[in-house]
Amino acid sequence: MVVTAPGPDVRAVAGGRAPEVAREDRSVRLARIRLGELGSVHSWELVTAVDGPGTRMTLFLSGCPLRCLYCHNPDTWRIRDGRLTDVAEVLTRVARYRHVFAATGGGLTVSGGEALMQPTFLGRILAGAKELGVHTTLDTSGYLGANATDVMLADTDLVLLDVKSGDPNTYRRVTGRDLGPTLRFGRRLSDAGIATWIRFVLVPGLTDDPDNVALVADYAASLPSVERVEVLPLHQMGREKWARCGIPYELADTRPPTAELTQRVRDQFAARGLLVF
């Protein structure tokens, strides 16, 4: 079992497989994975004022198709590195904190990695949380937005959409992938009236070009469902994880943005009439 967090801001890192899952026949496990009854979980944590409103249980699923240069969780990239977990176990833990969520206006946030790498498992988690009366948030790059069914989105109260760049070339430089799927997913969310918070990571020398920021700001302003924009200055707290994973870290010498640069970028978003944090 994943260790239950004793309080906010304490992460429980998943390790090993639950005995009942490990004993199952391989064919049974594969069938349950296909049905979304089992999924690969990296870790979970309780946080306040992060990953959505109120106090939240953030569940990190394993697997991601992007290779962001500034990723602070490179240990979530591979599905096989997570812990095979029963959806019932996840929902039991969510239910345990319902009183905390109700008191703080919080809920469940499913993140990663990229949660949409495991869409069937994700869908069951979101549906189960809604049955419990818990507010649900999906934290995603949107690159795999096509994996999100309409039913899944109906069970999602809020989406944290990471728009990592507005310029396609810069987006590919940052992630190794194409920008188009993220933009299409954001428009789909807006058409469906799903509350969306845009997240933009500010990296000096990489994403800070005024023209690049302007493209993200114009896109965010074009979506009626966008409630706010969060400008997230680069930090280096995940640097040691890259070393432990044996992956070269290209941004080792990149310093966090200055207060002046951060304010300039926030002002660019605010100039489009957006609420900015």
Side-chain angles (χ1 to χ4, degrees):
M1 301 281 288
V2 177
V3 178
T4 301
D9 302 315
V10 177
R11 173 173 296 188
V13 177
R17 293 178 177 174
E20 64 275 14
V21 173
R23 284 195 297 266
E24 285 182 342
D25 180 84
R26 182 173 182 273
S27 62
V28 174
R29 288 201 305 271
L30 291 175
R32 295 187 68 205
I33 289 170
R34 285 193 294 270
L35 291 171
E37 296 174 357
L38 293 176
S40 180
V41 173
H42 173 268
S43 57
W44 66 280
E45 64 184 359
L46 287 179
V47 293
T48 300
V50 178
D51 299 331
T55 297
R56 309 199 68 79
M57 174 180 159
T58 301
L59 181 72
F60 298 88
L61 303 189
S62 293
C64 186
L66 307 186
R67 293 295 180 263
C68 298
L69 295 179
Y70 50 71
C71 180
H72 58 275
N73 288 318
D75 49 338
T76 66
W77 285 353
R78 301 188 302 184
I79 287 181
R80 68 174 181 268
D81 289 342
R83 171 182 173 269
L84 200 58
T85 304
D86 195 303
V87 69
E89 179 184 340
V90 173
L91 294 175
T92 296
R93 182 167 292 115
V94 172
R96 190 178 300 155
Y97 293 100
R98 277 185 296 181
H99 66 288
V100 176
F101 302 149
T104 65
L108 171 69
T109 298
V110 188
S111 185
E114 170 53 66
L116 287 169
M117 282 279 284
Q118 302 183 66
T120 312
F121 184 56
L122 170 63
R124 284 184 176 268
I125 292 170
L126 294 173
K130 292 307 296 179
E131 288 179 4
L132 292 169
V134 172
H135 180 277
T136 56
T137 296
L138 171 62
D139 181 12
T140 177
S141 71
Y143 180 75
L144 295 179
N147 286 354
T149 66
D150 291 342
V151 172
M152 182 193 299
L153 294 182
D155 289 326
T156 304
D157 294 308
L158 172 67
V159 174
L160 309 180
L161 182 62
D162 298 320
V163 183
K164 302 169 189 294
S165 171
D167 171 67
N169 292 329
T170 302
Y171 191 90
R172 179 167 285 279
R173 169 90 174 90
V174 171
T175 70
R177 298 287 188 170
D178 294 329
L179 173 60
T182 293
L183 301 183
R184 291 192 291 273
F185 186 58
R187 295 190 186 99
R188 180 181 169 200
L189 295 174
S190 189
D191 291 344
I194 297 173
T196 304
W197 294 4
I198 298 290
R199 286 178 152 183
F200 174 74
V201 179
L202 176 57
V203 184
L206 184 61
T207 66
D208 60 338
D209 183 85
D211 291 338
N212 181 53
V213 176
L215 289 169
V216 180
D218 289 342
Y219 172 71
S222 75
L223 304 178
S225 69
V226 171
E227 296 182 343
R228 63 195 277 181
V229 173
E230 296 182 339
V231 176
L232 308 177
L234 171 74
H235 64 70
Q236 296 283 12
M237 289 187 287
R239 181 175 176 176
E240 292 184 359
K241 291 184 181 180
W242 288 72
R244 288 200 299 269
C245 292
I247 308 171
Y249 183 50
E250 188 174 328
L251 301 182
D253 296 327
T254 302
R255 300 185 64 82
T258 63
E260 292 76 15
L261 174 56
T262 303
Q263 190 59 52
R264 188 217 83 199
V265 170
R266 287 183 171 140
D267 288 345
Q268 283 190 262
F269 283 103
R272 272 68 170 184
L274 296 160
L275 179 63
V276 186
F277 290 84

